[in-house]
Amino acid sequence: MNKPPILAVVIPCYNEEEILESTINRLLEVIDELNCSDIISRESFIYLVDDGSTDRTFQIIKNFHEKYPQRVKAISFIKNFGNQKAILAGLLEIRKFNFDCCITIDADLQQDETKISEFIQKYREGNELVYGIKNERNDTSFLKKICAMSFYKLMNILGVKTYANHSEYRLVSKNLIDVLSKYCEHNIFLRGIFQEICNKPAIVYYDVKKRMAGTSKFSLFDLFSLAIQGITSFSTVPLRLVTFTGLLISLLSFLFGFSVIIEKLLHLSLIDVPGWATIVVAICFTGGIQIFCIGIIGEYMGQIFTEVKSRPRYIIETELK
Ligand code: UDP
Ligand code: MG
């Protein structure tokens, strides 16, 4: 680990025309600085994945590639496949080139790029995986904080060990990317996969900056979908909960039925008021639980459905090597 490693910086981009030029320039600057200080090799490069943008994103990438063909490489997708697949494609496709480790970072540079040297330092100390963990931001809304905290707590309860506040800003060694390539699933939740292939990652803490331009490409619905994807692709505990809920309700109904028979036999009349409210509440409650349970099972069926079709996980339109 004494030789400066060749670093590949993978950036997923979706409609980032407002910000991409300054991001690429800034990252080239960081790579130059690190190269001058002998922290990384001069062969290091940036690898952009255009995730089916409909704006000028790919044109900007092309211009940079023409100017710096060795330092800026890219692929573009035929359509939008989503952030997880864009990152996955970047990680898998850079294997065509010579590199030692890779850092994934967002195109808006909200993640502090000056920390890249710390990532490399941890890599050179022998760590194959380095997670970027966000420092708490005071301006994050209370609702977002609660949602994020509950998600990580729930994941841990369901047996999916993930680090709280960790994002897609991470360093991965070439070896681990080879292991990642053996994961052929379509429903990708990279945080879970990396946790599975290396459970002792090193950590770099960083501050999250505000987006300089453009808007977030993740709606609350996208975040919710990612959370469900994370849970359903790494834990079957919800299915077990469905079974236990069914068993519990059946047991309670049995006990209730049994008590009614005893009452009748002993000519006790404990329920003397026709309890329509109780019945309606009970029906609604069990109905709700049933629909919720069917929903959970449906989520898993949906996962199986997309997995068995075995369609390509992404389709590359153009490659700038
Ligand atoms: N992104 C992508 N495909 C998508 C949505 C987002 O490649 O369908 C990229 C986006 O260009 C950015 C990164 O994923 O580089 C994170 O997106 P964003 O900054 O919008 O997310 P946020 O920071 O709001 O969570
Ligand atoms: Mg962002």
Side-chain angles (χ1 to χ4, degrees):
M1 294 279 172
N2 283 331
K3 214 171 116 238
I6 303 175
L7 171 71
V9 181
V10 165
I11 312 169
C13 314
Y14 181 53
N15 291 342
E16 298 286 6
E17 63 179 3
E18 291 108 323
I19 213 163
L20 199 56
E21 241 172 73
S22 72
T23 295
I24 299 176
N25 278 325
R26 173 68 191 128
L27 285 173
L28 287 173
E29 201 178 282
V30 171
I31 288 178
D32 280 342
E33 282 164 18
L34 295 177
N35 176 18
C36 289
S37 342
D38 236 12
I39 294 174
I40 57 171
S41 156
R42 55 190 288 272
E43 289 166 68
S44 301
F45 60 95
I46 294 175
Y47 196 80
L48 298 127
V49 181
D50 176 16
D51 185 11
S53 300
T54 49
D55 64 359
R56 284 182 51 252
T57 296
F58 198 58
Q59 192 50 51
I60 296 171
I61 295 175
K62 262 190 192 157
N63 296 345
F64 271 97
H65 175 70
E66 274 161 24
K67 207 165 158 194
Y68 310 106
Q70 298 306 319
R71 306 181 69 203
V72 180
K73 303 169 196 290
I75 47 172
S76 70
F77 287 168
I78 56 158
K79 70 173 189 84
N80 178 249
F81 284 92
N83 152 284
Q84 295 287 289
K85 287 184 179 163
I87 297 174
L88 178 79
L91 292 172
L92 297 182
E93 300 300 325
I94 50 169
R95 289 180 305 154
K96 291 176 187 153
F97 307 100
N98 191 16
F99 79 102
D100 298 302
C101 59
C102 163
I103 288 182
T104 48
I105 190 166
D106 289 350
D108 52 12
L109 282 196
Q110 280 192 277
Q111 297 138 332
D112 185 358
E113 73 284 356
T114 59
K115 295 280 176 173
I116 289 181
S117 60
E118 274 184 45
F119 280 83
I120 301 290
Q121 195 188 329
K122 302 262 179 195
Y123 169 76
R124 293 182 79 173
E125 285 165 9
N127 297 290
E128 301 249 19
L129 181 65
V130 188
Y131 281 164
I133 305 264
K134 296 177 232 179
N135 288 325
E136 279 290 341
R137 262 174 62 167
N138 296 332
D139 59 345
T140 311
S141 76
F142 182 68
L143 183 73
K144 242 186 165 173
K145 267 188 200 164
I146 289 283
C147 286
M149 213 173 70
S150 320
F151 172 65
Y152 287 113
K153 281 251 149 47
L154 182 66
M155 291 289 274
N156 281 315
I157 290 170
L158 297 178
V160 191
K161 301 287 172 234
T162 45
Y163 279 69
N165 287 334
H166 111 256
S167 63
E168 305 298 344
Y169 188 23
R170 67 171 83 79
L171 177 143
V172 193
S173 72
K174 188 171 190 291
N175 283 342
L176 280 196
I177 294 179
D178 288 338
V179 180
L180 171 74
S181 69
K182 299 198 171 77
Y183 281 70
C184 301
E185 59 215 65
H186 287 250
N187 299 291
I188 298 151
F189 184 64
L190 289 169
R191 288 169 222 196
I193 297 179
F194 281 117
Q195 193 61 30
E196 203 169 276
I197 57 185
C198 173
N199 59 9
K200 281 216 175 74
I203 286 182
V204 166
Y205 291 93
Y206 70 93
D207 291 323
V208 181
K209 294 179 269 178
K210 277 216 167 100
R211 213 179 219 279
M212 281 187 295
T215 51
S216 170
K217 310 296 176 290
F218 275 101
S219 63
L220 204 60
F221 179 76
D222 292 330
L223 290 176
F224 186 66
S225 303
L226 187 65
I228 293 198
Q229 179 121 314
I231 292 169
T232 52
S233 56
F234 277 91
S235 172
T236 48
V237 174
L239 286 177
R240 185 118 338 133
L241 285 179
V242 169
T243 313
F244 284 136
T245 313
L247 275 177
L248 186 71
I249 292 176
S250 309
L251 185 72
L252 290 177
S253 323
F254 175 76
L255 290 177
F256 183 66
F258 189 67
S259 72
V260 172
I261 293 171
I262 298 289
E263 261 175 44
K264 277 274 174 226
L265 288 179
L266 299 180
H267 300 291
L268 295 171
S269 179
L270 294 180
I271 306 174
D272 50 359
V273 184
W276 67 268
T278 326
I279 290 169
V280 168
V281 168
I283 289 173
C284 290
F285 179 67
T286 45
I289 289 183
Q290 280 172 1
I291 293 171
F292 179 65
C293 291
I294 291 171
I296 292 179
I297 296 166
E299 288 294 336
Y300 284 91
M301 274 186 61
Q303 292 259 13
I304 299 166
F305 179 65
T306 46
E307 295 296 340
V308 293
K309 278 190 293 184
S310 284
R311 289 184 179 167
R313 293 189 285 186
Y314 53 84
I315 302 171
I316 297 173
E317 185 168 64
T318 317
E319 219 171 337
L320 305 176
K321 301 196 223 183

